[in-house]
Amino acid sequence: MKVLKELGSGLDTVSIEEVQLGLHAGFEPHEIIFTPNGVSLQEIEQVAKLGVQINIDNLSILEQFGTKHPHIPVCIRINPHVMAGGNSNISVGHIDSKFGISIHQIPLLIRIVKNTKMIINGIHMHTGSDILDIDVFMRASEILFDVAIQFKGLEFI
């Protein structure tokens, strides 16, 4: 990780332990994004206290976090329902994937954001690895941008 840091990389982490390792290796909190799946609200709050960018991928945690911490900016991970990737084992953006907030739940997501007055500063999507079909990538990108325009003040996609 120290070599990656020296090369100017940031970190995408999935556990508090990975966040802590990144901080120990010399990464600044703003250089780390936390993209967990299926972790507790408590773990997300612990990472937020460290100053790391939070990426939330389900409505329940989003609402709980937004209700308690509306002034802490968060990124949201959407699921575009696009089958992409070299094979089904590495495709994570399809309708049966556990990762991300379904594009069909965007109206609920917007309602949660409005009701909690939380700050959404980023939109995230991961459809899979080893994508060889440019049309699949373009379709997923269009979905991502259609969601992004519904949020004012985004800092990153």
Side-chain angles (χ1 to χ4, degrees), residues 2 6 18 26 28 33 35 37 39 45 50-51 53 55 62 68 75 77 84 88 102 112 121 131 142-143 149 151 154:
K2 289 181 180 182
E6 289 173 11
E18 288 181 354
E28 296 296 323
I33 189 167
T35 308
N37 181 261
V39 301
E45 290 173 325
L50 296 172
Q53 173 68 55
N55 192 8
L62 183 73
K68 289 180 74 176
C75 176
R77 180 179 184 172
S88 61
S102 167
I112 289 168
N121 69 339
I131 300 171
E142 288 172 5
I143 292 167
I149 62 173
F151 296 93
L154 290 180

Side-chain angles (χ1 to χ4, degrees), residues 79-83 91-99 102 104:
N79 180 335
H81 298 270
V82 172
M83 181 66 89
S91 180
V92 294
H94 56 83
I95 196 165
D96 292 324
S97 177
K98 68 179 182 174
F99 300 104
S102 167
H104 301 303

Side-chain angles (χ1 to χ4, degrees), residues 75-129:
C75 176
I76 51 175
R77 180 179 184 172
I78 64 161
N79 180 335
H81 298 270
V82 172
M83 181 66 89
N87 64 62
S88 61
N89 293 328
I90 56 176
S91 180
V92 294
H94 56 83
I95 196 165
D96 292 324
S97 177
K98 68 179 182 174
F99 300 104
I101 297 168
S102 167
I103 57 169
H104 301 303
Q105 294 178 312
I106 298 302
L108 295 172
L109 183 144
I110 291 170
R111 187 173 349 149
I112 289 168
V113 170
K114 186 176 180 180
N115 289 343
T116 62
K117 297 178 177 52
M118 65 189 308
I119 301 165
I120 303 299
N121 69 339
I123 302 290
H124 172 93
M125 175 183 69
H126 179 59
T127 57
S129 302

